[in-house]
Amino acid sequence: VLDGVLLALKAYSQITEIVVVGDEGEIRRALSASGAREARLRIVHASEVFTMEDKPLVAVRRKKDSSLIRAIELVKEGKAEAVISTGNTGGLVAAATLKLRRLEGVDRPAIATFVPSLKGQFILLDAGANPECKPLHLVQFAVMGHVYAREILGQKRPRIGVLCNGTESHKGNDLTRDTARLCQEVDFNFLGYVEGNDMFAGNVDVVVTDGFVGNIVLKTIEGLGKCIVRTLKSELTANPIRQIGAAVASGALRGIKRRMDPDAYGGAPLVGLNGTVIKAHGSARETAIKNAIRVATETIQHRTNEHICREIAAAHHKLAARAAVDAGAPEFPVHKKNEDLAAKL
Amino acid sequence: VLDGVLLALKAYSQITEIVVVGDEGEIRRALSASGAREARLRIVHASEVFTMEDKPLVAVRRKKDSSLIRAIELVKEGKAEAVISTGNTGGLVAAATLKLRRLEGVDRPAIATFVPSLKGQFILLDAGANPECKPLHLVQFAVMGHVYAREILGQKRPRIGVLCNGTESHKGNDLTRDTARLCQEVDFNFLGYVEGNDMFAGNVDVVVTDGFVGNIVLKTIEGLGKCIVRTLKSELTANPIRQIGAAVASGALRGIKRRMDPDAYGGAPLVGLNGTVIKAHGSARETAIKNAIRVATETIQHRTNEHICREIAAAHHKLAARAAVDAGAPEFPVHKKNEDLAAKL
């Protein structure tokens, strides 16, 4: 983690300070071992650790001096703009949601993951924060993913799709059908249903699904990716001739690694909260940490949360207007509160 | 398809006859063009085609002379033991279910797909026949997958897992939790929840999920697989040096193809029906067709459906006994009908 922090401070001069939260003695020892001197690195001591085994809601209450809670509190108190954690995902989601609160109009924060495709990356969300969702939650995920695809991936007109078991409109379940129906009302480039092939062929920029399916899909991608890399390695080292071939073609192998590298984004934003929250992979190495810090920096610089608030409000307005039309009421003026709409949908 | 049929007839002497159903003139022309003579190949004419665009339930009623319906009827009438189709999946599921009927004790037929892993293959089911399932359906899928893993993959004690967004027991949703609770009562090697990494590391033989998630996962695997193969090809042919390296290491590339080849099984059984039904991929080539025929042959020779009936009945008996214990009734004798149990669970 420290190596990644030092890489990021060197690469991004716009960062004024990175606060490393944890056991101060341990951090100081690691820093002096690395011999690094960096004026923009500050240490905040925390005596506890929020472990992978901790039950999120229990530990949020009990481990008040854990590095996770302390780091989130820095954001809450305005002493930091973003928090990055490689730790317990459920703990990060629970603690960040409780302490930072949701952005206005957002019912559920979601984990937005960047996944490599043949033509760049796509955003998959929710990758695991909400195992059970309602259609309006998925519409909000679509809006937040849209903002991230535009601001962070640089897509001018991001293409939004709902992940489904087929592209025909009669496919799916109640959740996907209602989500697709609502997304058609929102002012973005909505493709309808998408499938695995669409994701990896680069035909979609934002793939919307609930956190149960999204997490399963993400772990399937990680599991298959590892399996193919291990198969490739074992086949290429099986005998000396193959090893020579692999050495000659080593540029290609590096190219594949670069293009399919999950570390290229290094962190998945937990979108929809007051503050920037990035979940880095538990096995993240320095490049992944550096890139997670880059994503946090870009998220702040692009004022992503302001865009989200504005576009969520606009989407709700559109949906409320449509609901009013469907109910036979005059289309304008519409002043429904978001909560009423959420309850209705 | 014809090339695959000819390959299979050559490879498997135990096959007494393969009936090719479709436009007789077209099949005869293709056969004479190939110059093949094969006494065990018979043609049955069908004047219609069940297309990919056809709505399953509509086409099942209207296209009575389609090759799909005619082929299934051969099985229904006892003139064939298995039907293999590369066509419309929904059409195959609908037509086969309506015409062949479910095996006793099976509430829903499921598509069982063989997927390559680091240590062989695993079976993923349901891969798309039932977008919405109840816990007892998933338990039945587990039992049917167990029989296939034992009889077709040759696993002595197949390991069964429920696909979930985490391996801890508090993860999942009502469907996965109730399924896991019921699976614990069944007399097989039940692991609990599994994730993407478990599948591809070869830690599980039968992965159980509903047809919505299963189909999304299968298409994610196919989409990512294609993406990686295309990336590998474009990187390895990007310049002459890499092309030389790839040529030298070509054994490795063939090895990967062999180990990760989706054509190795070529067909996904639709399990739970009176008769053997195999869905081959729409883009199946001759090897895939040959292997789909092999899977059909093995399914018949191993009397897979008899095993399924016996083991489904035993599982229901166990679950009914457990339900009776939970209700405070004496454990034996239990003579609940399966339908009552299905309604209850």
Side-chain angles (χ1 to χ4, degrees), chain B residues 2-14:
Chain B
L2 276 176
D3 285 344
V5 166
L6 294 169
L7 277 178
L9 283 170
K10 196 172 281 181
Y12 312 123
S13 60
Q14 67 268 48

Side-chain angles (χ1 to χ4, degrees), chain A residues 38-281:
Chain A
E38 178 52 76
R40 292 175 294 155
L41 191 156
R42 187 159 68 89
I43 300 168
V44 163
H45 179 69
S47 65
E48 291 179 290
V49 175
F50 203 118
T51 68
M52 288 298 182
E53 287 68 39
D54 274 327
K55 292 227 167 126
L57 288 172
V58 177
V60 166
R61 283 199 311 275
R62 297 207 184 139
K63 292 196 165 175
K64 295 205 185 299
D65 198 30
S66 62
S67 51
L68 181 68
I69 303 287
R70 287 283 178 234
I72 291 169
E73 280 173 348
L74 291 175
V75 176
K76 188 184 176 183
E77 295 159 1
K79 294 174 182 167
E81 287 180 274
V83 56
I84 296 161
S85 169
T86 63
N88 186 317
T89 307
L92 178 64
V93 172
T97 306
L98 284 169
K99 301 231 168 246
L100 302 181
R101 299 279 166 184
R102 292 163 290 146
L103 288 172
E104 196 181 333
V106 175
D107 288 298
R108 303 278 189 90
I111 297 173
T113 312
F114 300 95
V115 183
S117 78
L118 275 179
K119 293 181 189 162
Q121 291 85 29
F122 63 92
I123 294 174
L124 175 74
L125 84 168
D126 174 23
N130 311 282
E132 295 184 64
C133 294
K134 290 184 179 180
L136 189 61
H137 303 148
L138 265 61
V139 174
Q140 294 171 359
F141 298 168
V143 172
M144 296 193 285
H146 176 256
V147 170
Y148 263 81
R150 194 186 59 219
E151 300 298 324
I152 309 301
L153 293 186
Q155 301 284 356
K156 286 219 176 102
R157 195 166 145 68
R159 296 157 299 174
I160 319 289
V162 171
L163 189 59
C164 198
N165 61 330
T167 53
E168 305 90 342
S169 58
H170 66 271
K171 289 288 177 91
N173 52 30
D174 289 347
L175 176 62
T176 63
R177 278 187 290 267
D178 287 344
T179 302
R181 191 173 50 75
L182 295 176
C183 280
Q184 271 155 0
E185 305 296 330
V186 178
D187 193 17
F188 51 35
N189 185 6
F190 182 60
L191 305 180
Y193 288 159
V194 294
E195 298 185 292
N197 209 39
D198 301 306
M199 299 195 286
F200 295 101
N203 298 337
V204 58
D205 302 305
V206 178
V207 177
V208 176
T209 185
D210 64 76
F212 177 76
V213 174
N215 192 268
I216 287 175
V217 165
L218 184 65
K219 286 173 178 165
T220 298
I221 293 169
E222 291 175 352
L224 177 58
K226 273 188 211 166
C227 170
I228 292 179
V229 168
R230 285 186 59 179
T231 306
L232 195 60
K233 275 191 186 166
S234 84
E235 288 287 342
L236 284 172
T237 54
N239 66 46
I241 292 176
R242 291 182 183 182
Q243 286 170 20
I244 292 167
V248 174
S250 62
L253 302 176
R254 280 198 303 276
I256 292 157
K257 207 180 161 198
R258 186 176 33 78
R259 281 165 64 172
M260 305 302 295
D261 189 5
D263 285 357
Y265 276 87
L270 178 62
V271 299
L273 296 175
N274 282 301
T276 296
V277 181
I278 311 278
K279 170 69 180 79
H281 210 285

Side-chain angles (χ1 to χ4, degrees), chain B residues 95-148:
Chain B
T97 307
L98 284 169
K99 302 229 166 246
L100 302 181
R101 301 277 164 183
R102 292 163 291 146
L103 288 171
E104 195 180 336
V106 175
D107 288 299
R108 303 277 189 94
I111 296 172
T113 313
F114 300 95
V115 184
S117 80
L118 276 177
K119 292 180 188 161
Q121 291 84 29
F122 63 91
I123 294 173
L124 174 75
L125 83 167
D126 173 21
N130 311 282
E132 295 184 63
C133 294
K134 291 186 176 178
L136 188 62
H137 303 150
L138 266 63
V139 174
Q140 293 171 358
F141 298 168
V143 172
M144 294 192 285
H146 177 257
V147 170
Y148 262 82

